[in-house]
Structures are given as C-alpha cells and as structure tokens.
C-alpha cells in the first residue's frame, strides 16, 4: 500500500523526434510543474486529450522517465532517483507490451525469475492470479502472445501486473485498444480488481466516461499541466475553467455567447431575469454561459426557439438528446424518451444551474456547485 | 507478389511481369555463371583448361585436379607441396581462426552498440553517436588502408614510428599487432553496415516491452538477453552470415598485414599459389630444367587453373554451408530489412 505524491515535476522530452540535432527541445515540456497526490488505496484517473502529458506523468511515477525537476514520493519517501526495477510497481500498457518470445506463463514468471524467487512461488502466485482472473485465463497462459487476441493479451498483461502483489498500479490506457463491447466488460473487470485489492492506482485514459467509471478522483490535464483534480461531481458542477467544463460531460455542455446587463441576461436578443445569487456574482458585459443538457426547461413560455438537427434516443437511460444550434453554438438538450420529433423546440436554460465564463479567456465566473440530492 | 493477380488480366501488366521475370532470370544466371565455370573447370584436364576459346563443357572430364588437391591436403605430393609454404590444412585453420574470432568479438560488440544506441541513449547523444557509427561506413576502404596499416604497427599511433615522449628520448610505448591474426581480426570487429541492420531492427521493438520488463525488475542486460535476443534471431542470422562471409573472403587486408607465409588465410594462399605458378623461373639452366620437369608433372596431375578452381570451390564452401544452415532465418531477416 502506498501513498504517492508528485511534487512540482517538470519533464521535457529529449527523444529523437522532440529535439533538433543539437539537442534543443522542439516542444514545450511534456509535464509543466505538475503536482498531484494519490491517497493510499485511491484510484486517480488522469484524463486529457492525446499529447497532453498524461502518459509521461505515469512514466515519471513509474520511474521510466526521470523528471527534469521536482520530486516523486512513495509514502513520503523520495524515490525520484530510484530505478523502476526497484520501485515495485505494476504497470499495464496500452499496447499490452507482453514479451513476444515468451508464453503467457513465462510472462508472469519473469518477475519471479529476475528477483531470484523460487519456481514454486511463481507457480503458486500464477495459480492464484488465474483464480482471480476467472474463467479461461489458464488456457491463455500456455500460448504465445502473438496468437492471442487483443482482449486476451490484455488479460495476460493485467495478470502479469497483479502477480507480484504491487504496491501501486499504473495503467496507461489499458483498454483503449479493445473494441467497444470488450472495452465495456474489461472496464468492469478492472474495476472489480481495483475494488478487491484496494491498491493505490493511477489510471490514464483519454476517455472521460472511463475516467468517471474508474476513478475515485479525476485529474484533468492539458498541455502538460493539471487543470483540475476532483471527484466527478466537483468537475461536473464546479469546473475550474471552460476547458474542464467542455471536457467533462457527454453530450458536452452548450456554450452560449450572452450579455449580462442590469441583472438580466440576453441571448440572441431574448432576455431573462437572472436569479439573485447569480446576478450578484456576475459583472456586466459579455459572458459565455455553459448549460448542461439537463439544464434546460423544455416548452417553457419564455423559452428561446431552437431549430433541431436530430434527435438521439437512448432507451437505457430513458432519455433522448435533442441536438440543435443556437447563436452559432451547438446545443444538446436532454428530453424524455418519448419526446415527439419536431423541427424546433422552445427551451429556457436553468440560469441558476448554469456555469458562467468570461468572454475572453476561460475563467469561471460562477459555477453552480454540486447538487445536494440527499 | 510483385503485381496483384487481378491486374494480370491486362496485357501490359502481364508483359511487364514477364519483363521483370526475365531481368531476374538474367540476374540469377549472371550470379551462377562463375560457379558453373568454376565447377566445370575443376573437372577439365590441365590442357583443356588453358584452351582458347574455352570449352563450355569438359570434353574429357577428369577428377585429376580433385585428386591432386586431396593429395595436397594429405601432404603426400612432394612436388606440389614444394609450391606451398605449409600444409593446406594450416591455411584453412588460419581462415577459421580469423573468421571465428571476428564473429566472436564482432557480433556482440556491434549488436550491443546498436541496442544501446537504439534503446538506452536518448536525445542528442543518440543522434550524434548514430551519425558517428554510420559515418564509419561512408569512409572508402582505400582511404583507411594506410592509416590502418600504420595503426597495426604502432597502436595507438597511425604513424610510421611512435612519437617521443616530450622532453625525453624514449618513444611512447606502442602495441604491435602487425603480422598477427589480430591485425586482421580487430579492424573487422565493428561493422557499420551490421550496426545499421541491428539498429533498424531494435528500433522496431516497442519501447513499452522494454519498459514493462524494467518495471518487472529486469536489469538492462537481463532484458537484452531474455527478451530482446530471442526476438532478434533472424537479424542475428543475417549479421552472422554477412560477417562470416566477409571475414572469410577478405583478401587485400590480410595480404598486406600478414607477412609470415604460415599465418595467411586460405584466400591469400590461393592467390600466392597462382602467383608462384605464373612466375616460376630461375637463372640457372639446370634448376630451370628440374623445375620445368616438376611443372610438367604438376600440370599433368592437375595443378593448373583446374586445381585452383578446386581450391576456390573449397574456399567458398564454408560460406555456402553457413548460408544453408541459417537460410530460414536469413530470408526472414531480409524480409525484416526490406519492409521495416
């Protein structure tokens, strides 16, 4: 069990494609003063678009990359200079990274061989892992990785990761190479494993839904910086800036250009009175208003008319999404499943539950905060 | 498949396909013709082999040349042995020694260098060391001949005489490997071409596999031995074979640095034999008579071009055997080289 702290880490890449021939870096640092702490037994998901440095963060925590500055601590102990071989972490890679010339069994046994443990221990642990991993895992162990499908390879890779009882799990987009159906079931399986072991986990993904499903907390990264860390509710209802607000939530938040004047808000010539608590916090002038799909009141008397592009019905959620356009912005509105097909819809944003951002820049002016459901 | 099967419906594509086949056939024939001529020459009699125009098929096939070489190897032909500086087996052993040690040292050194450059070095250092190693390939052999020669005399100085230690009259201590097999072995240990071959292959191994092994706790050497090496057998086969055939067939360099007749490899000995054969001569009439009689005997026994062709075939045999042994891996390796 371990608590992990990443303190003010800066990392620039010096690989062949990232430097000029004289060694001058071509890109901004992959990690730019990143600070993150993972509590003992907690799962933190790092999420962000590709190239934002999330895999680099994972490699720095694993010790595969050495930070240019800053520290990495395990249980308060500085391990920045410790080689990955001595850190005792378990890592799962996006491309599974099984040893191609070894059978599944030897893939699992490699750890015990290099640590000069007995064959019996390796066998016993492999059996235990096979029990944990469930049906069919045994049959994978006798085959060489190239003869396994993506999902099977991933199961072996996860098995290889847990066979050593790691104190820290690091997962680098472990399921993003699987097809949609398999992704779903593997996601559940990994979640079960994490629950069962209660091991500190850093989980990197580009898929925010996966992050929501896996993580106790989510860290949103962008251009080598962590923008916001928090639970899903915090990110969803209290985004630190426009970027997080846009990134979290599916379908995404609708961002409307609006004008605030004299405690009234105007969108495309139509005006509404703002609730008092909102009006108090907003300066007059141009703003951007973020409205979640569920933040619209449909068929309201004072609503604005929104022409619809199409309607997506999702029976499992007993809802449909209406997609349209308003003031040049894409709009997604949650509606009941049996909402009739129409050309346009009259809807009013719930101004009290909307997010307000400055027109220039991305600062949050006001966010609604988490719902108090209970 | 050079052209897709469906495309061959078109007569132009079909014609082009046959054109390519024809060119490849010409290429094969051009490569096989010297072998063919070597084999039939070895079966000709000494007089037929000198006939002009040459015959394309031995008119009186004879094994005289093979028998002569056999007796040479056994060491029971005094006349022919007089032309040689030692038993033929000795030169074969010399060749084996040189080729063997070139492989023994060269394959690990070249592949380790390539692996380090591909997977361990990063950034500008990796770039520059790569350019340096590849740069050794750009140097024409003729350019390095004389410096290399001087280096074997006074290592590490490429000078005819070692320089004096400043302020004294004693020269710097030097190592002289000239006229030993090591003078042939050491310059052949690093091969820029094989470095490129290895590096090209190691670059295709995903970093994540090596990183996974690091997380598993494997030391860098253990990772190389347990994970990288088993994946790289084909590329090793290509490199071993290439290195062996070039070490076995090299001629100019051993001719220059090996002066003691008993130290030269097979390739050089065959050449000296040709030389002696052509330049037999003497200033004394009696000697000349004895010698011409000896030559007459040898000619009849088969020591003419036909005998040399036998030696040449024996000389190229190990390379051929080496090819057969690792043919499967070589083909796979060439595919790797061609596609990646």
């Amino acid at each position: 069990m371990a608590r992990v702290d990443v303190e003010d880490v800066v990392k620039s890449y010096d690989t062949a494609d990232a430097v000029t021939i004289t060694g001058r870096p071509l890109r901004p640092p992959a990690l730019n003063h990143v600070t993150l702490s993972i509590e003992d037994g907690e799962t933190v998901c790092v999420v962000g678009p590709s190239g934002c440095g999330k895999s680099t963060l994972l490699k720095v925590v694993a010790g595969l990359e050495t930070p240019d500055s800053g520290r990495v601590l395990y249980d308060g102990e500085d391990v920045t200079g410790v080689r990955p071989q001595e850190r005792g972490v378990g890592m799962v890679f996006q491309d599974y990274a099984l040893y191609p010339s070894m059978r599944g069994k030897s893939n699992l046994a490699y750890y015990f061989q290099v640590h000069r443990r007995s064959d019996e221990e390796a066998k016993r642990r492999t059996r235990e892992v096979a029990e944990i991993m469930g049906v069919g895992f045994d049959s994978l162990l006798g085959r060489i990785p190239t003869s396994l499908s993506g999902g099977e390879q991933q199961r072996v890779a996860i098995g290889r990761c847990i066979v050593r009882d790691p104190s820290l799990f690091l997962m680098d987009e472990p399921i993003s190479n699987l097809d949609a159906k398999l992704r779903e079931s593997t996601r559940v399986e990994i979640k079960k494993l994490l629950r069962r072991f209660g091991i500190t986990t850093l989980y990197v993904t580009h898929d925010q839904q996966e992050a929501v499903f896996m993580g106790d907390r989510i860290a949103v990264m962008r251009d080598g910086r962590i923008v916001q860390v928090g639970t899903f509710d915090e990110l969803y209802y209290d985004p630190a800036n426009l970027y997080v607000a846009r990134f979290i939530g599916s379908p995404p938040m609708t961002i409307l250009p609006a004008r605030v004047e004299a405690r009234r808000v105007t969108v495309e010539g139509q005006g509404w009175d703002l609730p008092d608590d909102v009006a108090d916090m907003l300066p007059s002038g141009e703003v951007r208003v973020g409205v979640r799909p569920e933040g619209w009141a449909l068929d309201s008397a004072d609503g604005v008319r929104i022409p619809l592009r199409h309607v997506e019905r999702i029976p499992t959620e007993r809802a449909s999404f209406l997609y349209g356009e308003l003031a040049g912005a894409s709009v997604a509105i949650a509606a009941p499943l049996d909402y009739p097909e129409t050309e346009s819809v009259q809807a009013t944003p719930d101004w009290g539950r909307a997010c307000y951002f400055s027109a220039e820049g991305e600062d949050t002016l006001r966010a609604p905060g988490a719902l108090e459901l209970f | 498949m050079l052209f897709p099967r469906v495309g061959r419906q078109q007569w132009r594509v079909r014609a082009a396909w046959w054109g390519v086949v024809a060119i490849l056939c010409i290429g094969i024939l051009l490569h096989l013709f010297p072998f063919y001529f070597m084999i039939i020459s070895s079966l000709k009699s000494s007089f037929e082999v000198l006939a002009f125009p040459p015959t394309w098929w031995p008119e009186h096939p004879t094994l005289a040349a093979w028998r002569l070489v056999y007796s040479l190897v056994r060491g029971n032909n005094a006349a022919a042995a007089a032309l040689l500086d030692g038993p033929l087996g000795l030169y074969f052993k010399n060749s084996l020694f040189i080729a063997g040690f070139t492989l023994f040292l060269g394959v690990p050194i070249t592949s380790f260098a390539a692996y380090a450059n591909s997977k361990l070095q990063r950034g500008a250092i990796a770039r520059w060391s790569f350019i340096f190693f590849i740069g050794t390939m750009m140097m024409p052999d003729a350019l390095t001949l004389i410096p290399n020669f001087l280096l074997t005399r006074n290592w590490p100085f490429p000078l005819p005489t070692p320089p004096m230690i400043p302020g004294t009259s004693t020269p710097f201590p030097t190592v002289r490997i000239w006229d030993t097999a090591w003078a042939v072995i050491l310059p052949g240990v690093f091969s820029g071409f094989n470095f490129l071959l290895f590096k090209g292959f190691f670059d295709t191994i995903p970093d994540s596999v090596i990183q996974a092994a690091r997380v598993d706790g494997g030391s860098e050497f253990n990772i190389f031995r347990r994970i990288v090496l088993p994946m790289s057998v084909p590329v090793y086969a290509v490199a071993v074979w290439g290195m062996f055939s070039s070490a076995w067939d090299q001629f100019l360099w051993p001719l220059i640095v090996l002066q003691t007749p008993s130290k030269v490899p097979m390739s050089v000995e065959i050449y000296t034999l040709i030389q002696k054969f052509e330049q037999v001569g003497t200033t004394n009439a009696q000697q000349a008579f004895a010698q011409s009689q000896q030559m007459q005997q040898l000619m009849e026994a088969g020591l003419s071009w036909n005998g040399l062709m036998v030696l040449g075939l024996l000389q190229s045999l190990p390379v051929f055997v080496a090819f057969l042994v690792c043919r499967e891996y070589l083909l796979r390796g060439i595919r790797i080289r061609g596609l990646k």
Side-chain angles (χ1 to χ4, degrees):
Chain A
M1 299 298 123
R3 176 197 151 86
V4 177
D5 290 281
V6 178
E7 285 183 357
D8 199 32
V9 162
V10 179
K11 170 76 191 168
S12 292
Y13 265 116
D14 56 359
T15 49
D17 61 332
V19 290
T20 60
I21 203 145
T22 51
R24 200 161 42 81
L26 288 170
R27 297 202 215 118
L31 293 179
N32 201 347
H33 298 284
V34 167
T35 300
L36 178 69
S37 57
I38 310 163
E39 301 296 330
D40 189 5
E42 186 188 32
T43 302
V44 170
C45 279
V46 180
V47 63
S50 42
C52 70
K54 51 194 193 305
S55 288
T56 309
L57 175 62
L58 203 70
K59 283 176 188 161
V60 165
V61 172
L64 294 167
E65 300 282 355
T66 321
D68 299 345
S69 70
R71 300 195 303 165
V72 178
L73 305 145
Y74 288 2
D75 279 332
E77 193 187 329
D78 191 345
V79 293
T80 315
V82 177
R83 300 188 310 146
Q85 281 91 335
E86 280 125 43
R87 291 199 188 188
V89 299
M91 192 159 173
V92 178
F93 292 84
Q94 182 175 9
D95 56 359
Y96 322 127
L98 294 175
Y99 313 133
S101 53
M102 298 184 189
R103 290 178 190 285
K105 215 175 295 167
S106 318
N107 262 283
L108 265 65
Y110 182 72
Y111 171 82
F112 297 98
Q113 283 161 4
V114 296
H115 285 87
R116 301 188 187 288
R117 308 269 193 82
S118 66
D119 279 355
E120 286 81 65
E121 192 186 353
K123 286 214 184 81
R124 184 172 52 78
R125 285 293 305 159
T126 306
R127 255 199 318 277
E128 285 171 21
V129 167
E131 267 164 45
I132 295 164
M133 296 300 291
V135 190
F137 189 75
D138 264 328
S139 65
L140 304 181
L141 291 178
R143 291 162 60 187
I144 53 168
T146 43
S147 71
L148 300 173
S149 73
E152 290 169 338
Q153 285 192 39
Q154 187 57 296
R155 289 182 75 192
V156 176
I158 292 170
R160 182 178 70 181
C161 171
I162 60 179
V163 75
R164 82 201 56 177
D165 247 334
S167 52
L168 175 64
F169 264 145
L170 301 172
M171 304 213 177
D172 190 358
E173 310 208 15
I175 59 179
S176 58
N177 281 5
L178 303 179
D179 63 70
K181 204 166 171 72
L182 205 54
R183 192 150 59 213
E184 203 74 8
S185 61
T186 314
R187 196 163 86 170
V188 175
E189 208 168 303
I190 294 178
K191 179 82 175 175
K192 262 197 289 194
L193 281 175
L194 296 184
R195 274 281 140 72
R196 172 174 181 143
F197 289 104
I199 294 176
T200 316
T201 307
L202 190 59
Y203 189 104
V204 162
T205 174
H206 63 263
D207 180 352
Q208 51 114 352
Q209 275 177 317
E210 203 176 303
V212 171
F213 185 82
M214 288 288 172
D216 298 320
R217 284 191 303 152
I218 300 164
V220 181
M221 279 193 79
R222 177 204 206 176
D223 298 341
R225 291 171 184 277
I226 290 186
V227 185
Q228 191 176 8
V229 189
T231 61
F232 173 70
D233 282 354
E234 283 165 10
L235 299 184
Y236 194 78
Y237 294 111
D238 206 357
N241 62 21
L242 183 61
Y243 175 77
V244 177
R246 274 192 167 138
F247 197 82
I248 299 292
S250 169
M253 180 185 258
T254 302
I255 308 292
L256 297 170
R259 202 174 164 73
V260 173
E261 242 166 357
R263 302 179 84 80
R264 274 180 71 80
V265 60
T266 320
V267 176
E268 278 221 308
Q270 192 151 355
W272 292 270
D273 284 325
L274 280 172
D276 283 343
D277 56 333
V278 177
D280 290 342
M281 295 178 72
L282 292 183
S284 292
E286 298 291 330
V287 293
R288 280 185 281 184
V289 184
V291 189
R292 295 281 179 197
E294 69 276 16
W296 297 85
L298 282 170
D299 302 321
S300 49
D302 60 346
V304 61
R305 186 139 291 277
I306 303 167
L308 293 183
R309 268 201 318 268
H310 76 277
V311 177
E312 184 191 13
R313 300 192 190 276
I314 302 168
T316 47
E317 292 179 20
R318 294 195 184 151
S320 53
F321 288 110
L322 317 177
Y323 293 98
E325 208 177 287
L326 177 64
S330 290
V331 178
I333 304 170
L337 185 58
D338 53 1
Y339 197 79
E341 295 267 348
T342 51
E343 288 290 303
S344 65
V345 70
Q346 188 139 340
T348 316
D350 180 353
W351 297 111
R353 302 284 316 155
C355 294
Y356 298 84
F357 306 98
S358 56
E360 314 286 318
E362 301 189 320
D363 301 334
T364 304
L365 299 174
R366 186 199 175 269
L371 272 178
E372 283 174 27
L373 292 170
F374 306 108
Chain B
M1 204 48 86
L2 202 51
F3 299 108
R5 196 167 282 276
V6 278
R8 283 189 226 150
Q9 301 277 344
Q10 300 257 342
W11 73 267
R12 279 201 197 94
V13 175
R14 219 158 49 225
W17 189 79
W18 281 111
V20 170
V21 168
I23 290 169
L24 288 177
C25 285
I26 291 171
I28 291 169
L29 287 179
L30 281 178
H31 276 88
L32 286 183
F33 181 73
F35 271 104
Y36 168 76
F37 209 73
M38 272 171 96
I39 291 169
I40 59 155
S41 296
S42 78
L43 294 173
K44 287 175 183 173
S45 70
S46 302
F47 300 103
E48 188 185 345
V49 87
L50 295 173
F52 190 85
T55 49
W56 295 105
W57 186 251
E59 278 159 15
H60 308 287
T62 165
L63 284 175
W66 289 88
R67 259 186 246 117
L68 175 78
V69 171
Y70 180 71
S71 69
L72 265 180
V73 175
R74 296 290 301 274
N76 52 13
N77 184 322
L83 280 180
L84 287 167
D85 300 302
L88 207 58
L90 175 73
Y91 303 112
F92 199 76
K93 255 184 254 163
N94 287 344
S95 272
L96 267 188
F97 182 83
I98 288 170
F101 266 97
T102 309
L103 281 187
F104 180 73
L105 296 175
V107 170
I109 287 177
T110 312
S111 61
F112 286 173
Y115 180 73
N117 186 246
S118 170
K119 290 290 176 231
L120 305 178
Q121 290 182 317
R122 304 286 290 273
I125 298 170
R127 277 289 177 95
W128 282 112
S129 57
F130 179 69
I131 288 169
F132 171 76
F133 285 131
I134 291 308
T136 62
M137 257 168 56
M138 308 297 163
M139 219 69 89
D141 283 349
L143 199 66
T144 56
L145 207 58
I146 290 168
N148 267 347
F149 173 76
L150 294 174
L151 272 175
T152 64
R153 311 261 316 172
N154 299 307
W155 192 84
F157 303 104
L159 300 168
T161 50
M164 296 292 161
I165 296 171
T168 65
S169 60
T170 44
F172 276 105
T174 61
V175 180
R176 167 171 284 210
I177 55 171
W178 184 75
D179 201 20
T180 66
W182 297 104
V184 183
I185 293 166
L186 293 180
V189 154
F190 183 82
S191 137
F193 179 78
N194 284 334
F195 173 82
L196 192 64
L197 185 67
F198 277 121
K199 155 110 168 128
F201 178 78
F202 291 142
D203 280 349
T204 65
I205 298 177
D207 280 341
S208 62
V209 171
I210 286 152
Q211 287 174 342
R214 275 184 200 146
V215 170
D216 267 352
S219 66
E220 294 300 337
F221 185 73
N222 190 289
I223 293 170
F224 182 81
R225 190 172 60 83
R226 290 291 312 280
I227 289 153
V228 177
L229 201 57
M231 298 166 74
S232 327
V233 174
V235 78
Y236 269 89
V238 175
V240 163
W241 183 70
M243 233 175 189
F244 178 77
S245 56
S246 68
W248 186 266
D249 285 343
Q250 62 182 325
F251 168 71
L252 183 59
W253 183 242
L255 180 71
I256 293 170
V257 293
L258 296 177
Q259 292 298 320
T260 314
S262 64
K263 286 177 179 170
V264 298
M266 195 74 168
S267 51
V268 176
E269 183 56 24
I270 292 176
Y271 170 76
T272 0
L273 210 55
I274 299 171
Q275 290 288 316
K276 281 187 183 150
F277 189 68
E278 284 173 348
Q279 292 168 359
V280 165
T282 161
T283 48
N284 177 309
Q286 211 173 355
Q287 266 183 16
F289 178 68
Q291 223 164 36
S292 68
Q293 248 188 343
Q294 215 177 48
M295 287 309 296
Q296 179 74 21
Q297 276 172 7
L298 283 175
M299 283 281 278
E300 271 160 23
L303 185 60
S304 171
W305 288 104
N306 50 348
L308 292 171
M309 286 304 135
V310 175
L311 291 176
L313 281 173
L314 291 180
Q315 147 83 7
S316 53
L317 208 57
V319 175
F320 190 64
V321 169
F323 175 78
L324 284 183
V325 167
C326 45
R327 188 178 61 105
E328 191 60 26
Y329 290 118
L330 276 174
L331 290 178
R332 251 197 276 168
I334 287 164
R335 240 173 276 151
I336 292 167
R337 208 157 96 195
L339 294 179
K340 299 271 165 80

